Amino acid sequence: MGIKKIKIKMKKKIVIWYCIIGISINSCVDDRNFSTPIVNCVEPELEVTNTIAQIKEMAGFGVVEFTNDFIISGYVVSSDVSGNIYKTISIQDAPENPTAAIRIAIDQTNTYTKYPVGRKLFVKLKGLSIGYNRGSLEIGKAIGTTIERIPSLELHKHFFRSCEDVQITPKKVAISEINNNMTDMLIALENVQFASKELGASYANANNTNSEDRVVVQLSENCGFQSEINLRNSGFSNFRNQQLPEGKGEIIGVLNKYYSEYQLLIRNTEDVVFTEERCEEASNLQATVSFSELKEMYKGKLVEFGIDTEYVFEGYVISSDVEGNFSEKIVVQDAIENPTGGLQVLVDEELIYEKYEVGDKVLLKLNRLYMDEIEGVLTIGYPKKETIGEITKDDFQNFIINTNANFEIVPREVSLVDLDKMNLQNTLVKINGLQLIANEVGKAFTYYSGTTSAVRQLETCGVFSRIEIKTNGKATFSNEKFPTGNGSIVGVLFGENSKLQIQVRNLEDIFFTNPFEDCPVVEPKIMITEIADPENSTTARFIELYNAGDEVMVLTGWKLNKYLNGANSISGIPIKLTGLRIEPKSFLTIANVGFESVFNKIPNVVTTYITGNGDDVYELVDANGNVQDVYGKVGIDGTGAIWEYVDGKAIRKKNVTEPNAEFDISEWEVFSKVKGSRQNAPQDFNPGVR
Amino acid sequence: MKKKPTSVLYGLFCYFCILFSCDFGYGQKRIVVKGTIVVSNSGKGLEGVLVQLKKTTSSTYTNRKGNFFLEDISKGFAVLELFLEGYISKNIPIKFKEGEELDLGKIELFEDNTKEQLFTTIAISDDELSEDEIGGSDNITGLLQASKDVFLRTAAFNFGQARFKVRGYDSREGTVLLNGVEMNKIIDGRPQWSNWGGLNTVLRNQTVSRGIAVSDNSFGGLLGVTNFSTRASEYRSGYSLSLAATNGSYKNRVMVSYFTGLQKNGWAFAISASQRSAQSATMEGTTYNAKAVFFAVEKELNAKHSLNFTFILTPNRRGKSSPNTQEVYDLRGTKYNAYWGFQEGEKRNSRLKEIVEPIFMLNHYWLKNESTTVDFSISYQFGHIGNSRLGYFNASNPDPTYYKKLPSYNLRLPGNLDYAGAFLSLKEFKRNGQIDWRNIYQTNATTQYANYYLYEDRNEDNTLALNTKIDKRINPNLNALLGISYTKLKSLNYAKVLDVFGENGFVDLDGFALGAARQNDLNNKNRTVLVGDAFSYKYEVLVSKLKLFSQVEYASNKTELTGTLGYEQTNYQRKGLFRNGAYADSSFGLGTKKSFNDFSMKGSGLYKFSGRHLLALNLGYLNKAPSIKNTFANIRSNHNFSSNLKSETKITGDFSYRYRAPGIKARFTGYYTQFSNAIENYFVFAQGLRGDASDFVGQTLTGIKKKHVGVEFGLEAQVSSSIKLTAVAAIGQFVYANNPHLYLESDQFKGVESDFGIAYLKNYRLGGTPQNAYSVGFEYRDPAYWWYSINANLLTHNYLTISPLLRTNNFFLDKDGVPFVNENTQNQISQEDVKGLLSQERFDENFLVNLVGGKSWKIKGTYLGLFASINNVLGAVYKTGGFEQSRKANYKELKEDKELELPLFGPKYWYGNGTSYYLILSVYF
């Protein structure tokens, strides 16, 4: 091998080794080291032509398109960082104390990464439009007659970011001061907390994407309610599952108007700054109105308490819907013991007991509520048609403030016979000596199946009057058998005095410890014993009723009818005898208005109804509508009849000791002008004596 | 039928009899000439060498060990010709007498380096992609490259570019060994080609066995075993240098090597290095940056003992390309890649795959005596694989092909078609349509927080493997083998922050979860992560694997028989390093250990009617533990195992007829394989689950049965000394053979809820490969050292990979368990309605023409070679694969989407490269 060859070979070797070393060191493909883009800001050279306020003034009916080269600027106050605000940007005209703000709809998400809060933004309006969208002004792109979002790919034609990046100071306002001009501004509400009904809830829902409104309440210095606003939380926000904070403090948000209602949108939960203890309204509320004052206010017509009233009623819960017998109402009485009365409040809520238990002391704020009488009891609620309806689910807790103090309510013990004269409606009573009437024994509270409500009759042996117990068909015990024994029942009393009803909270309210008694049938022996038509005074006409039996008779539901001049139907409005009672062997006088001065005696009932002038029929009817006693023949004019008592009287013969539903002239002794035996008052009459 | 245990025992007894040399006594036959042909530098037996007596019809081929036997030869002088493609032919004059047995001993054949056949192959194996996504286009052609079989060669060189898979098998069915040590990754069972890519010169010493045919090195899988040998003494001394240019996966390659060969002092050294690079290859924005360094040293201690040390380091980093919907391809062409964008004027790819896993290996070769060899090796591999991608939190999806950014999104509401919006999107996508890096930086700067970040899913494996093999020749016809290997792996996996684009970092939270489930690590709540930190998930998998295999081979001049038994014990245990908020109790610390014990057996028989006609039969019954990926239902979050976890069973058989005559070689094979109890596990985002839920879910398909059946045909005809014709056909059918069970796992779908019941997959085709392929070729080889060949290929029956979720009851049942209503008929949807939506797409057939040529010169002891190839000369545009999206997971959702002119969630496809060239210049001296 020659030297030349060796040299060539050496050269080749050098090339090879150079390559080997070169490969190990050298890297010629650049796939990881890139120069970092320099993120600098170039201020756009744009001249603002109009203020936001001026632009808003250009809005008219429908959609107004900008055809001029208008340019506005503003500071971004909204942010979609949490997903609560979606595809809109709100800008206002100053970082502090703004005078106008507007919302711009764009078809883009994650706008906060480009237009963060505080960034000044120029908007070229040419080609865009302004118009109302769900109650508030919005800038967007007109499609026909509606405002739509600006397509993301057209944004660069309209949006120009300034390099100015400022701190936005939210505008401090009271909820009550909020007005149209403030929509889309960043506002701060101080001294606010979530309404008590919202406590325990999350901003929206963890397991679905429904949006929720949460009521924020603004309070006065001493925790009094001032006003409220909805905090609107999107079901797509990343804080949708977070619990609402319980404290009190400040909420910052973008004001929005949804049709006629204002709502606040937070950018993220850092906008809710609750640093103080929650204020419980109840501790600052004082009762201002008593039951008797309320009763006084009720004049038979719907009472409107108005907006500015400060009526607060203090009461104690006596009803319970645990077993479903009471539903959609709360009954409160005005004292723990010996109440003077109570109210029932209608609420649209299924599980009231979770918030109001029996014995809870509550304060009822009547401001903005209404009162009427339903089923004989004073009822509070929202107006509904001519009367009262339920307070809505969302609102009732704002009116019924639970102090969370709980007391044992002692029911008032009463007997059936005294019940009708005591006005204990809407209070808790304990009626002793009750049992089912004989032909209801064996029945269920309602029926053995189904959800129809029903009433059962209860009685006390030896007392003619009865009381009904009402059971809701949806109560858990409604299909159970009604206990057969005898004892006391605790419940809430309601209904007219003429027809009282009781409603129990649960089965423990029925204490039937004694065996069922076979009550002797009490036959009322109330009879007409004297009918007077004195010749000398038409206003001293009277009718005397007599209890021939041995029991006190409570005349609840009884009526006295008259039939004038041979009428076939009852004349006028009959006299209701409810509230009256006759002791055994005693009398009751129902008289016209002149009776007292003529006889110098006070009749039991004074009424102009007693006008019988000799040819008219009187009829006594019991609570069941059965005729108990009658004088004269219904449908026959007594003129010329043997029972005519014109200018005279009819007296029951002493030997008659029972009423008779069939008129029998032989039981009577009749005096009249026709018979020549005129009678004058007072000497010829003897009311109250037989 | 139940097998009697006694017969099994008897069988085993016989087997061990053979193994431990009960001599069968070999009937003497009249062998006239015999010998063993070996490769010159390695001394390894060379299979398939044509041995023929010139001017006679007597010929034969060497067997796997390189042995040949020729008989019935007439007396006198003759010339024995030895021929094998790729080797320099040899003529040996011999003289013999009747009845005499002539043993020629070892005959060496030298490699013919003038032919650059291998380069084409390497072009393909470099392309090997192992995407983790569904229907990922992993390629198995690397396994076939060194094959001498015309069918497999055609499959590799010509069908490979269309992602053809031999017999439809996944690449995990092929076993790759380095000096006998298995290199398949335990995580997914697949060979990781990048770990030795670019080392073509030094990995030329390969032993390949195909299918379940016998291998001396491992039990192997269904696709066979490839063993690379890196003994420094086996390389022929000299320098080599090659330069390549291509427009395929990369642009340039430089490769240099220097080998000393075995020196007189008993030392041998081998060193090789290469670099492949591209700033942007075939697909837009696909960078390629691969280097390779190889070093081997061998010391022959004495005649019996030799030690070889090997070091391989092949750092490889490349940009990936995206599968896209047809809408995207229609707008931007088939070279479009959504993963890159310009950053300050440079193309930056967001998805880089980086592999750096150096291998250290020490081999001890012990030639105990003439008939026994013992090999021992110890190997250690560490390093990492990282797959990067963009992450984003509370910011817009940076993917330029995100469905809301495409025109189809504006046209998704049939009653409210927004043509103006569609036009804007179209313009925007055509003009910009790439990752907007500037916007990413700007966003982070605006929010002072890393809304966007680049991270990688990082896998750091530490593998220690011990391997030993005893090879004993009991008598000239009987050989026995015993191999034992033990592997221990600690696989650490986590997401690692690579870049926060200028900003401070971000908080490690799951943006789609609520409450405690938001925390990716409850032990470190609301942790801010910075560049280099782990986030999202972090766990280790501890694996140990014990493998035994033993084999008995019997060979005579007419018959070859082999029986192989394998046993494998696999243990997996997960160790969570994060306490996942959604799985607080099942994510942290050590999980339960899972063990699999698997027995496998196979056997093969070869019968030679004559040297020309051969019949071969292979049968196998194989069991294999599921890979780590398939063992755990949702490995990133928790310890839970996949439901119905079982080893996969494969029953396979093939039958071949081979014809080998001078000038003509042909093979015809029929095969049948059934997979059962297979598990597939992957992640999808689906809408319309259980009526109306949507979630990112892990899907596990269990108890899968698959059937692969077909025929293969290969023919090579040497028409003249310079012209050769080839014809190849593969006709197969790869289908799901049952209705497997589907489970979904996510925060929403746990426990009973995760059971989605049966997936009705039976008779759907498996996607990801043409099932039929045909090729004809013409080759001209000029005596003046230049040659060229042309191949025409037709590939058909390639199917879309289907989504199993769409084939469950969930597809047609509403939340309340009642079928959906057909909106047109107002009746319950019928079988016909469903079928119409779920029919499987078959891709168009494609026709590919490839040209290859080369020339070599020898100038004063220096060999110079030039090689050139053009693939897909006609520039055919074709889909190589694709998968159905699971996003519209029920009838209602899918129907709405499919009825659109431009579906939003249509299948995603991969397209084949267009025309590509390859040019290599190489020098040896």
Side-chain angles (χ1 to χ4, degrees), chain B residues 874-891:
Chain B
L874 304 177
V877 175
Y878 58 95
K879 292 170 185 164
T880 57
F883 56 93
E884 256 176 357
Q885 299 200 63
S886 296
R887 193 158 171 135
K888 297 291 175 190
N890 69 27
Y891 170 79

Side-chain angles (χ1 to χ4, degrees), chain B residues 53-83:
Chain B
L53 283 177
K54 272 198 168 171
K55 295 169 188 165
T56 70
T57 54
S58 267
S59 68
T60 186
Y61 286 87
T62 53
N63 69 10
R64 238 167 32 77
K65 300 276 181 192
N67 298 329
F68 69 91
F69 312 88
L70 260 180
E71 53 184 304
D72 300 332
I73 302 165
S74 49
K75 60 182 177 179
F77 288 96
V79 175
L80 194 63
E81 189 179 33
L82 308 178
F83 176 80

Side-chain angles (χ1 to χ4, degrees), chain B residues 647-686:
Chain B
S647 288
E648 184 180 16
T649 300
K650 292 165 261 194
I651 296 172
T652 184
D654 63 38
F655 178 81
S656 304
Y657 167 71
R658 280 187 241 162
Y659 178 75
R660 300 198 288 203
I664 290 197
K665 275 196 268 182
R667 172 166 76 85
F668 177 86
T669 303
Y671 61 89
Y672 176 91
T673 302
Q674 185 184 285
F675 293 79
S676 37
N677 291 327
I679 296 176
E680 284 172 12
N681 193 334
Y682 43 91
F683 288 86
V684 293
F685 183 83

Side-chain angles (χ1 to χ4, degrees), chain B residues 462-475:
Chain B
N462 271 279
T463 316
L464 180 73
L466 300 171
N467 219 40
T468 185
K469 193 185 81 180
I470 305 162
D471 191 331
K472 187 173 168 64
R473 209 174 83 186
I474 294 152
N475 66 37

Side-chain angles (χ1 to χ4, degrees), chain B residues 707-741:
Chain B
K707 198 170 75 184
H708 294 240
V709 57
V711 292
E712 293 168 346
F713 171 73
L715 170 75
E716 227 175 339
Q718 195 78 44
V719 178
S720 74
S721 62
S722 53
I723 293 174
K724 190 161 83 180
L725 299 177
T726 58
V728 159
I731 301 166
Q733 200 183 54
F734 321 132
V735 296
Y736 284 103
N738 73 338
N739 294 324
H741 211 100

Side-chain angles (χ1 to χ4, degrees), chain A residues 79-87 202-214 230-242 244 263-269, chain B residues 514:
Chain A
S79 166
D80 60 355
V81 66
S82 66
N84 195 36
I85 293 171
Y86 181 67
K87 291 189 173 177
S202 30
Y203 280 92
N205 306 292
N207 43 15
N208 63 45
T209 51
N210 299 338
S211 296
E212 295 291 347
D213 289 324
R214 300 291 178 208
N230 280 338
L231 190 73
R232 177 79 176 167
N233 300 312
S234 165
F236 292 97
S237 66
N238 66 11
F239 55 79
R240 65 181 186 274
N241 65 317
Q242 282 182 39
L244 294 173
Q263 56 187 18
L264 195 65
L265 288 158
I266 54 172
R267 283 102 32 110
N268 57 39
T269 50
Chain B
L514 288 172

Side-chain angles (χ1 to χ4, degrees), chain A residues 10-118:
Chain A
M10 281 301 288
K11 270 185 188 167
K12 284 178 186 166
K13 280 185 188 175
I14 289 164
V15 168
I16 298 284
W17 283 104
Y18 178 80
C19 284
I20 292 177
I21 294 161
I23 285 167
S24 330
I25 301 163
N26 165 47
S27 168
C28 56
V29 175
D30 206 354
D31 56 0
R32 274 222 287 222
N33 299 311
F34 295 89
S35 38
T36 306
I38 297 155
V39 182
N40 55 357
C41 187
V42 182
E43 187 67 25
E45 289 176 11
L46 292 173
E47 282 292 324
V48 171
T49 63
N50 296 76
T51 63
I52 293 174
Q54 285 168 346
I55 290 298
K56 285 174 87 173
E57 277 166 22
M58 294 177 196
F61 285 108
V63 172
V64 176
E65 189 171 338
F66 299 107
T67 49
N68 296 328
D69 291 315
F70 290 150
I71 297 175
I72 55 168
S73 74
Y75 297 88
V76 176
V77 294
S78 64
S79 166
D80 60 355
V81 66
S82 66
N84 195 36
I85 293 171
Y86 181 67
K87 291 189 173 177
T88 62
I89 289 184
S90 298
I91 56 171
Q92 64 185 36
D93 61 0
E96 207 167 342
N97 299 320
T99 60
I102 185 76
R103 183 174 74 227
I104 308 169
I106 58 175
D107 194 12
Q108 181 148 318
T109 53
N110 295 303
T111 60
Y112 82 101
T113 61
K114 216 162 177 178
Y115 312 108
V117 170

